[in-house]
Amino acid sequence: STHVYTCIANTFSTDGMLPSLPQIAQELSSDAPKRAQEILIWFMVGMGLGTFFVGPLSDSFGRRPVIILGLFFYIAMGFVAYRSSSLEVALIARFFQGLGAAAPRIVSQAIIRDLYSGREMAQLISFVMVIFSLTPAVAPLLGEQIMSVFGWRGIFMAFALFGIILLFWFLTRLGETLPKASRRIFYPSKVWPSLMEMYKNKQVRISILTQSFSYVPLFSSIILIQPIFDQSFQAGSSFAKWFALIAIISASSSLINAQLVMRFGMRHMVVSSLFFQILISSIVLAYFWLGTVSVPTSFYVYLIWQTGIFFQVGFTLGNLNALALQPLGHIAGFGASIVGGISTVIAAAMASIVNILFDGTPIPLIGSCLAVIVVAYFVAIFLPKNTAS
């Protein structure tokens, strides 16, 4: 349940912002509307960088105190963003809010690794990914309702209030899964040997790289989905409802994966899903590239493709995370930090480039996602074949 609530918080912190981007652009960056999308990017960057630190801290001090400290930070930055008078202040607050969000995100993964391993861990993460996929169905609609009553600033206040609720739950319900006898005192001199241990493990190394590229289509789509609805198809008013439908359909992939991963293994699920996504994205890119289709038809083609991108998440990210952490039980917190940090920072950086390429059509997004998925596929095929994966 710790990881479930964490997924809800992180997803709400990004997807809940989507309906407010036009209003933020109008009020804080009217001369450069695309900069409003940095509200999402800087949160992701902050979360990625924070990820590098919270895992080792949890290995030294325990899982519970690190999560609680991160939530305090998340709540405080929500209030700062609410009071922001410029886009720069809002972006700084979002960056530091991402740092705080990194703690529950990564430490909850370490908690799972404390208790489970192998395909059993992958199956559990798949069930968690159902919540991760379903939350976007509610987040934009909730953000839209909050904004209609309190304005776009009210969404930041909602983040802070949600963080307070999570903090109360963790304070009263979260137990410690890392006994004091198993904790590792953090020595800077041990960082490099631990990194080398991870790098020398082929499964860990390839899983991290594949996960980094697999995150790019997800991050890029989240950043650009509202502008595409609004600018490419003039469907901004119905965005939240369509997004909810996409999320509900996509959530089924995690349920399917939870069943299939026990039979076929994590590696097979990852490679197969990436291969099929290459086929689908190639067809859709060719369709849009021809430029002879009608707007209503192209809108539904885009919806199908976007659903496929989110659908793929259920077959890749949870399995890749389980593959990366499987050999790292003795350094679960440190491992979760490095895995999450590298993949998030790389994906956020690449997604920011895709955002710059946006020209008012879906073509840059689809083409960029296709290119990255192709790379992810050719990296993933080198994952070791064994009975555990």
Short mmCIF file of all heavy atoms in Angstrom, two decimals, residues 104-152:
data_model
loop_
_atom_site.label_atom_id
_atom_site.label_comp_id
_atom_site.label_asym_id
_atom_site.label_seq_id
_atom_site.Cartn_x
_atom_site.Cartn_y
_atom_site.Cartn_z
N PRO A 104 9.39 9.06 -1.17
CA PRO A 104 8.41 7.96 -1.15
C PRO A 104 8.46 7.11 -2.42
O PRO A 104 8.22 5.91 -2.37
CB PRO A 104 7.06 8.68 -1.01
CG PRO A 104 7.32 10.09 -1.41
CD PRO A 104 8.74 10.38 -1.06
N ARG A 105 8.78 7.74 -3.55
CA ARG A 105 8.81 6.99 -4.80
C ARG A 105 9.86 5.88 -4.78
O ARG A 105 9.58 4.73 -5.11
CB ARG A 105 9.09 7.94 -5.97
CG ARG A 105 9.21 7.24 -7.30
CD ARG A 105 9.94 8.08 -8.33
NE ARG A 105 10.10 7.36 -9.58
CZ ARG A 105 11.05 7.63 -10.48
NH1 ARG A 105 11.90 8.59 -10.24
NH2 ARG A 105 11.13 6.94 -11.59
N ILE A 106 11.08 6.21 -4.39
CA ILE A 106 12.19 5.26 -4.43
C ILE A 106 12.20 4.34 -3.22
O ILE A 106 12.41 3.14 -3.33
CB ILE A 106 13.53 6.01 -4.57
CG1 ILE A 106 13.59 6.69 -5.93
CG2 ILE A 106 14.70 5.05 -4.39
CD1 ILE A 106 13.43 5.75 -7.11
N VAL A 107 11.98 4.91 -2.04
CA VAL A 107 12.05 4.09 -0.83
C VAL A 107 10.95 3.05 -0.81
O VAL A 107 11.14 1.94 -0.30
CB VAL A 107 12.00 5.00 0.42
CG1 VAL A 107 12.03 4.15 1.69
CG2 VAL A 107 13.18 5.97 0.42
N SER A 108 9.79 3.37 -1.39
CA SER A 108 8.72 2.36 -1.45
C SER A 108 9.14 1.18 -2.32
O SER A 108 8.76 0.04 -2.05
CB SER A 108 7.43 2.99 -1.98
OG SER A 108 7.59 3.45 -3.31
N GLN A 109 9.95 1.44 -3.36
CA GLN A 109 10.47 0.34 -4.17
C GLN A 109 11.45 -0.51 -3.36
O GLN A 109 11.47 -1.73 -3.47
CB GLN A 109 11.16 0.90 -5.42
CG GLN A 109 10.23 1.60 -6.39
CD GLN A 109 10.96 2.19 -7.57
OE1 GLN A 109 12.10 1.83 -7.86
NE2 GLN A 109 10.32 3.12 -8.26
N ALA A 110 12.27 0.16 -2.55
CA ALA A 110 13.19 -0.59 -1.69
C ALA A 110 12.43 -1.44 -0.68
O ALA A 110 12.85 -2.55 -0.35
CB ALA A 110 14.13 0.39 -0.98
N ILE A 111 11.30 -0.93 -0.20
CA ILE A 111 10.47 -1.70 0.74
C ILE A 111 9.97 -2.98 0.07
O ILE A 111 9.99 -4.06 0.67
CB ILE A 111 9.29 -0.84 1.22
CG1 ILE A 111 9.79 0.27 2.16
CG2 ILE A 111 8.25 -1.70 1.95
CD1 ILE A 111 8.73 1.26 2.58
N ILE A 112 9.52 -2.85 -1.19
CA ILE A 112 9.09 -4.04 -1.93
C ILE A 112 10.24 -5.03 -2.06
O ILE A 112 10.07 -6.24 -1.88
CB ILE A 112 8.54 -3.64 -3.31
CG1 ILE A 112 7.21 -2.89 -3.15
CG2 ILE A 112 8.32 -4.88 -4.19
CD1 ILE A 112 6.63 -2.41 -4.47
N ARG A 113 11.46 -4.50 -2.37
CA ARG A 113 12.61 -5.39 -2.51
C ARG A 113 13.00 -6.01 -1.18
O ARG A 113 13.53 -7.13 -1.13
CB ARG A 113 13.80 -4.62 -3.10
CG ARG A 113 15.03 -5.50 -3.38
CD ARG A 113 14.68 -6.63 -4.35
NE ARG A 113 15.76 -7.59 -4.47
CZ ARG A 113 15.93 -8.63 -3.68
NH1 ARG A 113 15.08 -8.85 -2.67
NH2 ARG A 113 16.94 -9.47 -3.87
N ASP A 114 12.74 -5.31 -0.07
CA ASP A 114 12.99 -5.89 1.25
C ASP A 114 12.16 -7.14 1.48
O ASP A 114 12.58 -8.06 2.19
CB ASP A 114 12.66 -4.88 2.36
CG ASP A 114 13.66 -3.73 2.43
OD1 ASP A 114 14.78 -3.89 1.93
OD2 ASP A 114 13.28 -2.67 2.98
N LEU A 115 10.97 -7.16 0.88
CA LEU A 115 9.99 -8.21 1.19
C LEU A 115 9.84 -9.26 0.10
O LEU A 115 9.40 -10.37 0.37
CB LEU A 115 8.62 -7.57 1.47
CG LEU A 115 8.60 -6.51 2.59
CD1 LEU A 115 7.22 -5.86 2.66
CD2 LEU A 115 8.96 -7.16 3.93
N TYR A 116 10.17 -8.90 -1.17
CA TYR A 116 9.93 -9.81 -2.29
C TYR A 116 11.13 -9.80 -3.24
O TYR A 116 11.98 -8.93 -3.16
CB TYR A 116 8.67 -9.41 -3.07
CG TYR A 116 7.43 -9.32 -2.22
CD1 TYR A 116 7.02 -8.11 -1.67
CD2 TYR A 116 6.67 -10.46 -1.94
CE1 TYR A 116 5.89 -8.01 -0.87
CE2 TYR A 116 5.53 -10.38 -1.15
CZ TYR A 116 5.15 -9.15 -0.62
OH TYR A 116 4.03 -9.07 0.16
N SER A 117 11.13 -10.77 -4.19
CA SER A 117 12.18 -10.82 -5.20
C SER A 117 11.66 -11.57 -6.43
O SER A 117 10.61 -12.21 -6.39
CB SER A 117 13.44 -11.52 -4.66
OG SER A 117 13.15 -12.88 -4.35
N GLY A 118 12.42 -11.47 -7.52
CA GLY A 118 12.13 -12.22 -8.74
C GLY A 118 10.78 -11.91 -9.36
O GLY A 118 10.28 -10.79 -9.32
N ARG A 119 10.16 -12.94 -9.95
CA ARG A 119 8.87 -12.76 -10.64
C ARG A 119 7.77 -12.36 -9.68
O ARG A 119 6.82 -11.68 -10.07
CB ARG A 119 8.50 -14.05 -11.39
CG ARG A 119 9.46 -14.39 -12.52
CD ARG A 119 8.97 -15.59 -13.33
NE ARG A 119 9.95 -15.94 -14.35
CZ ARG A 119 9.77 -16.91 -15.26
NH1 ARG A 119 8.65 -17.61 -15.25
NH2 ARG A 119 10.70 -17.17 -16.15
N GLU A 120 7.88 -12.80 -8.43
CA GLU A 120 6.89 -12.41 -7.42
C GLU A 120 6.91 -10.90 -7.22
O GLU A 120 5.86 -10.27 -7.10
CB GLU A 120 7.16 -13.13 -6.11
CG GLU A 120 6.07 -12.92 -5.06
CD GLU A 120 6.37 -13.66 -3.77
OE1 GLU A 120 7.56 -14.00 -3.55
OE2 GLU A 120 5.45 -13.89 -2.98
N MET A 121 8.12 -10.32 -7.21
CA MET A 121 8.24 -8.88 -7.09
C MET A 121 7.66 -8.19 -8.32
O MET A 121 6.96 -7.19 -8.22
CB MET A 121 9.70 -8.47 -6.90
CG MET A 121 9.91 -6.96 -6.76
SD MET A 121 11.60 -6.51 -6.30
CE MET A 121 12.52 -7.06 -7.73
N ALA A 122 7.95 -8.74 -9.50
CA ALA A 122 7.42 -8.16 -10.75
C ALA A 122 5.90 -8.21 -10.77
O ALA A 122 5.24 -7.28 -11.23
CB ALA A 122 7.99 -8.91 -11.95
N GLN A 123 5.33 -9.32 -10.27
CA GLN A 123 3.87 -9.44 -10.23
C GLN A 123 3.27 -8.40 -9.30
O GLN A 123 2.26 -7.75 -9.62
CB GLN A 123 3.46 -10.84 -9.79
CG GLN A 123 1.95 -11.07 -9.85
CD GLN A 123 1.56 -12.46 -9.37
OE1 GLN A 123 2.05 -12.91 -8.34
NE2 GLN A 123 0.71 -13.14 -10.12
N LEU A 124 3.89 -8.20 -8.14
CA LEU A 124 3.39 -7.21 -7.18
C LEU A 124 3.47 -5.81 -7.79
O LEU A 124 2.53 -5.01 -7.68
CB LEU A 124 4.20 -7.27 -5.89
CG LEU A 124 3.82 -6.25 -4.81
CD1 LEU A 124 2.38 -6.46 -4.36
CD2 LEU A 124 4.77 -6.33 -3.63
N ILE A 125 4.59 -5.50 -8.44
CA ILE A 125 4.74 -4.19 -9.07
C ILE A 125 3.70 -4.00 -10.16
O ILE A 125 3.20 -2.89 -10.38
CB ILE A 125 6.17 -4.01 -9.62
CG1 ILE A 125 7.17 -3.95 -8.47
CG2 ILE A 125 6.29 -2.74 -10.46
CD1 ILE A 125 8.62 -3.86 -8.90
N SER A 126 3.34 -5.07 -10.85
CA SER A 126 2.31 -4.98 -11.88
C SER A 126 0.98 -4.55 -11.30
O SER A 126 0.26 -3.73 -11.88
CB SER A 126 2.16 -6.32 -12.61
OG SER A 126 3.28 -6.60 -13.39
N PHE A 127 0.63 -5.11 -10.13
CA PHE A 127 -0.61 -4.70 -9.48
C PHE A 127 -0.54 -3.23 -9.06
O PHE A 127 -1.53 -2.49 -9.16
CB PHE A 127 -0.89 -5.59 -8.28
CG PHE A 127 -1.35 -6.98 -8.63
CD1 PHE A 127 -0.68 -8.09 -8.14
CD2 PHE A 127 -2.44 -7.17 -9.48
CE1 PHE A 127 -1.09 -9.38 -8.49
CE2 PHE A 127 -2.86 -8.45 -9.81
CZ PHE A 127 -2.18 -9.56 -9.32
N VAL A 128 0.64 -2.80 -8.60
CA VAL A 128 0.82 -1.39 -8.25
C VAL A 128 0.68 -0.52 -9.49
O VAL A 128 0.11 0.58 -9.44
CB VAL A 128 2.19 -1.17 -7.58
CG1 VAL A 128 2.44 0.32 -7.36
CG2 VAL A 128 2.28 -1.93 -6.26
N MET A 129 1.18 -1.01 -10.63
CA MET A 129 1.11 -0.25 -11.87
C MET A 129 -0.33 -0.04 -12.34
O MET A 129 -0.61 0.89 -13.09
CB MET A 129 1.91 -0.96 -12.97
CG MET A 129 3.43 -0.93 -12.76
SD MET A 129 4.14 0.73 -12.80
CE MET A 129 3.95 1.12 -14.52
N VAL A 130 -1.23 -0.91 -11.90
CA VAL A 130 -2.65 -0.70 -12.20
C VAL A 130 -3.10 0.63 -11.60
O VAL A 130 -3.77 1.44 -12.25
CB VAL A 130 -3.51 -1.85 -11.66
CG1 VAL A 130 -4.99 -1.55 -11.86
CG2 VAL A 130 -3.14 -3.16 -12.34
N ILE A 131 -2.72 0.87 -10.36
CA ILE A 131 -3.05 2.14 -9.70
C ILE A 131 -2.34 3.28 -10.41
O ILE A 131 -2.93 4.35 -10.63
CB ILE A 131 -2.64 2.10 -8.21
CG1 ILE A 131 -3.26 0.88 -7.52
CG2 ILE A 131 -3.05 3.39 -7.52
CD1 ILE A 131 -4.77 0.88 -7.55
N PHE A 132 -1.07 3.06 -10.77
CA PHE A 132 -0.31 4.07 -11.49
C PHE A 132 -1.00 4.45 -12.80
O PHE A 132 -0.99 5.61 -13.21
CB PHE A 132 1.10 3.53 -11.78
CG PHE A 132 1.97 4.47 -12.57
CD1 PHE A 132 2.65 5.50 -11.94
CD2 PHE A 132 2.13 4.29 -13.94
CE1 PHE A 132 3.47 6.36 -12.66
CE2 PHE A 132 2.94 5.15 -14.67
CZ PHE A 132 3.62 6.18 -14.04
N SER A 133 -1.62 3.47 -13.46
CA SER A 133 -2.29 3.72 -14.73
C SER A 133 -3.67 4.30 -14.55
O SER A 133 -4.15 5.06 -15.40
CB SER A 133 -2.39 2.40 -15.52
OG SER A 133 -1.11 1.86 -15.78
N LEU A 134 -4.35 3.94 -13.46
CA LEU A 134 -5.72 4.43 -13.24
C LEU A 134 -5.76 5.85 -12.69
O LEU A 134 -6.71 6.58 -12.95
CB LEU A 134 -6.46 3.49 -12.30
CG LEU A 134 -6.97 2.18 -12.90
CD1 LEU A 134 -7.58 1.29 -11.82
CD2 LEU A 134 -8.01 2.45 -13.99
N THR A 135 -4.74 6.22 -11.94
CA THR A 135 -4.73 7.57 -11.35
C THR A 135 -4.87 8.66 -12.39
O THR A 135 -5.59 9.65 -12.16
CB THR A 135 -3.46 7.78 -10.51
OG1 THR A 135 -3.37 6.76 -9.52
CG2 THR A 135 -3.49 9.13 -9.82
N PRO A 136 -4.20 8.57 -13.58
CA PRO A 136 -4.41 9.60 -14.59
C PRO A 136 -5.85 9.74 -15.05
O PRO A 136 -6.22 10.78 -15.60
CB PRO A 136 -3.51 9.13 -15.75
CG PRO A 136 -2.45 8.32 -15.11
CD PRO A 136 -3.14 7.62 -13.96
N ALA A 137 -6.65 8.68 -14.86
CA ALA A 137 -8.06 8.78 -15.25
C ALA A 137 -8.79 9.79 -14.39
O ALA A 137 -9.75 10.43 -14.83
CB ALA A 137 -8.73 7.41 -15.14
N VAL A 138 -8.33 9.94 -13.15
CA VAL A 138 -8.99 10.84 -12.21
C VAL A 138 -8.27 12.18 -12.09
O VAL A 138 -8.91 13.21 -11.92
CB VAL A 138 -9.08 10.16 -10.83
CG1 VAL A 138 -9.77 11.07 -9.82
CG2 VAL A 138 -9.80 8.83 -10.92
N ALA A 139 -6.93 12.15 -12.18
CA ALA A 139 -6.13 13.34 -11.88
C ALA A 139 -6.51 14.57 -12.71
O ALA A 139 -6.76 15.64 -12.13
CB ALA A 139 -4.64 13.02 -12.04
N PRO A 140 -6.56 14.50 -14.05
CA PRO A 140 -6.93 15.71 -14.80
C PRO A 140 -8.36 16.17 -14.51
O PRO A 140 -8.62 17.38 -14.45
CB PRO A 140 -6.79 15.27 -16.26
CG PRO A 140 -5.86 14.12 -16.24
CD PRO A 140 -6.17 13.40 -14.95
N LEU A 141 -9.28 15.22 -14.35
CA LEU A 141 -10.65 15.60 -14.02
C LEU A 141 -10.71 16.30 -12.67
O LEU A 141 -11.40 17.31 -12.50
CB LEU A 141 -11.55 14.36 -14.01
CG LEU A 141 -11.85 13.72 -15.38
CD1 LEU A 141 -12.55 12.38 -15.18
CD2 LEU A 141 -12.71 14.65 -16.23
N LEU A 142 -9.96 15.76 -11.70
CA LEU A 142 -9.91 16.38 -10.39
C LEU A 142 -9.25 17.76 -10.46
O LEU A 142 -9.73 18.73 -9.86
CB LEU A 142 -9.15 15.48 -9.41
CG LEU A 142 -9.06 15.95 -7.96
CD1 LEU A 142 -10.46 16.17 -7.37
CD2 LEU A 142 -8.26 14.95 -7.13
N GLY A 143 -8.15 17.83 -11.21
CA GLY A 143 -7.48 19.11 -11.39
C GLY A 143 -8.38 20.13 -12.04
O GLY A 143 -8.38 21.31 -11.68
N GLU A 144 -9.18 19.68 -13.02
CA GLU A 144 -10.11 20.56 -13.71
C GLU A 144 -11.16 21.11 -12.74
O GLU A 144 -11.51 22.30 -12.79
CB GLU A 144 -10.78 19.78 -14.84
CG GLU A 144 -11.41 20.61 -15.92
CD GLU A 144 -11.93 19.74 -17.05
OE1 GLU A 144 -12.84 18.92 -16.81
OE2 GLU A 144 -11.43 19.88 -18.18
N GLN A 145 -11.67 20.25 -11.86
CA GLN A 145 -12.69 20.68 -10.91
C GLN A 145 -12.10 21.64 -9.87
O GLN A 145 -12.73 22.65 -9.50
CB GLN A 145 -13.30 19.46 -10.21
CG GLN A 145 -14.10 18.56 -11.13
CD GLN A 145 -15.23 19.30 -11.83
OE1 GLN A 145 -16.00 20.02 -11.20
NE2 GLN A 145 -15.33 19.13 -13.14
N ILE A 146 -10.91 21.33 -9.40
CA ILE A 146 -10.26 22.21 -8.43
C ILE A 146 -10.02 23.58 -9.05
O ILE A 146 -10.27 24.63 -8.43
CB ILE A 146 -8.93 21.60 -7.95
CG1 ILE A 146 -9.20 20.33 -7.14
CG2 ILE A 146 -8.12 22.60 -7.12
CD1 ILE A 146 -7.94 19.54 -6.81
N MET A 147 -9.55 23.58 -10.29
CA MET A 147 -9.25 24.83 -10.98
C MET A 147 -10.51 25.66 -11.22
O MET A 147 -10.48 26.89 -11.16
CB MET A 147 -8.55 24.53 -12.30
CG MET A 147 -7.99 25.75 -13.02
SD MET A 147 -7.05 25.27 -14.47
CE MET A 147 -8.35 24.52 -15.46
N SER A 148 -11.64 25.00 -11.48
CA SER A 148 -12.88 25.73 -11.74
C SER A 148 -13.37 26.48 -10.51
O SER A 148 -14.08 27.48 -10.61
CB SER A 148 -13.97 24.76 -12.22
OG SER A 148 -14.34 23.86 -11.19
N VAL A 149 -12.97 26.01 -9.31
CA VAL A 149 -13.41 26.65 -8.07
C VAL A 149 -12.33 27.59 -7.51
O VAL A 149 -12.63 28.72 -7.11
CB VAL A 149 -13.78 25.59 -7.02
CG1 VAL A 149 -14.20 26.26 -5.71
CG2 VAL A 149 -14.88 24.68 -7.53
N PHE A 150 -11.09 27.13 -7.50
CA PHE A 150 -10.02 27.87 -6.82
C PHE A 150 -8.99 28.46 -7.77
O PHE A 150 -8.03 29.09 -7.32
CB PHE A 150 -9.31 26.96 -5.81
CG PHE A 150 -10.22 26.40 -4.76
CD1 PHE A 150 -10.65 25.08 -4.84
CD2 PHE A 150 -10.65 27.17 -3.70
CE1 PHE A 150 -11.47 24.54 -3.87
CE2 PHE A 150 -11.48 26.64 -2.72
CZ PHE A 150 -11.90 25.32 -2.81
N GLY A 151 -9.14 28.22 -9.09
CA GLY A 151 -8.13 28.69 -10.02
C GLY A 151 -6.96 27.72 -10.07
O GLY A 151 -6.89 26.75 -9.32
N TRP A 152 -6.00 28.01 -10.96
CA TRP A 152 -4.89 27.07 -11.13
C TRP A 152 -4.02 26.96 -9.88
O TRP A 152 -3.41 25.93 -9.63
CB TRP A 152 -4.05 27.44 -12.34
CG TRP A 152 -3.38 28.79 -12.29
CD1 TRP A 152 -3.85 29.97 -12.78
CD2 TRP A 152 -2.11 29.09 -11.70
NE1 TRP A 152 -2.95 30.99 -12.55
CE2 TRP A 152 -1.86 30.46 -11.89
CE3 TRP A 152 -1.14 28.32 -11.04
CZ2 TRP A 152 -0.71 31.10 -11.43
CZ3 TRP A 152 0.02 28.94 -10.59
CH2 TRP A 152 0.23 30.33 -10.79
#
